[in-house]
Amino acid sequence: MRAQDSATAPMTIAVATTDGSGAGHDGGVTRHDGGTRAGSTSAAAAPAGSTDASGSRTDPLPRGTLLALLGVVCFSLTFPSTAWGLESFGPWSLVAVRSMLAALIAGAFLLVGRVPLPERRHWAGIAVVAGGVVIGFPLLTTLALQTSTTSHAAVVVGLLPLTTATFAALRTKRRPSRTFWFAAASGAVVVLAFTVQQSGGAVSKGDLYLFGALLVCAAGYTEGGRLARLMPGWHVIGWALILCLPLMAVGSAVALAVEPVHLNAHGVIGLAWVAAGSTFFGLYVWYRGMASIGIPKASQLQLAQPLLTLIWSVVLLDETLPPAAPIAAVAVLVCIAVTQRAKS
């Protein structure tokens, strides 16, 4: 009856255009040969809350934030696990073996999922991810942990959110608001002051390794977050790990032949976590979170990572919690809250 009664068609269109959803309704007004039905189907198929009034992508639920936070929790265990791994392996062996094992895990998932090779235009970005988060950051931080405590390394790496936000602004040409930058810089200042206070104002060789790790990791996070908008996050880290597999396989053989190995429970558990938990699963959920809420906002969630690592260092490594840690924790969490509400 609706198809024959032309008088009811305008009423149907009027109801559709006043329900506030907006998407796909323009075609219903201008087309009468099935355009209304197609537009309504398109609007119904779109995920609720996938666009806002201006057409920008939004997150209907804090799912992206939760995924990014889960990644931060995984990363917060990396330094304590690395310290455990160093009980059994040398630094070069630990990095090479962890990356090789993570690549084998990723390869199994890619194979079972029958994931096709990425497009040629994506390989340059994947290479940046591989160099930054698969090789560079693990190697430099592992070398730093030979002379630095886990708690000290954790607070230095607390500068990573600001570094990542800066890389993202340069790479994506997006300009976060002044409020965002002020809160991000404030969080970085808190972390830096905490670091200087704990180290007595001196910059050690381990700190230089850590600062280098900040740069390569921020570049890898930025490229990974960009690529995760074009393909699933686990594809990004999966192919980055596969790209490194030949090098890491050779590196493992050479390093294990040169560096002594003394297996114990801590060493094995530490290796297993940094391979499966930090390098594969952590980066998988992290890139998915960044793709959902944006690189700048996701990066600021990592301001909580040093404080989480401090807790793990006390629980797992019996390190002494610095007295200034609770004060730094409150200040950092305030900065996180501001960055999550600020326009980015």
Side-chain angles (χ1 to χ4, degrees), residues 21 77 89 159 269 286 288 315 340:
S21 57
L77 282 161
F89 303 93
L159 293 172
I269 293 172
W286 174 244
R288 287 198 63 179
V315 174
Q340 295 309 292

Side-chain angles (χ1 to χ4, degrees), residues 63-140:
R63 182 166 177 262
T65 300
L66 292 176
L67 286 171
L69 281 172
L70 181 56
V72 170
V73 173
C74 292
F75 298 153
S76 71
L77 282 161
T78 300
F79 285 176
S81 299
T82 299
W84 274 9
L86 287 172
E87 294 181 16
S88 295
F89 303 93
W92 295 90
S93 299
L94 182 60
V95 172
V97 173
R98 73 178 272 186
S99 298
M100 184 182 69
L101 291 177
L104 293 175
I105 296 172
F109 275 86
L110 293 171
L111 185 62
V112 171
R114 297 182 179 180
V115 178
L117 287 170
E119 298 178 26
R120 182 179 298 180
R121 62 192 177 98
H122 296 326
W123 279 108
I126 290 174
V128 174
V129 174
V133 303
V134 177
I135 299 177
F137 185 79
L139 177 60
L140 292 171

Side-chain angles (χ1 to χ4, degrees), residues 57 59 62-71 225 228-229 233 282-299 301:
R57 183 177 179 179
D59 203 4
R63 182 166 177 262
T65 300
L66 292 176
L67 286 171
L69 281 172
L70 181 56
R229 289 180 173 269
L283 287 170
Y284 161 61
V285 295
W286 174 244
Y287 284 140
R288 287 198 63 179
M290 280 202 294
S292 179
I293 65 176
I295 299 172
K297 281 192 174 183
S299 69
L301 293 174

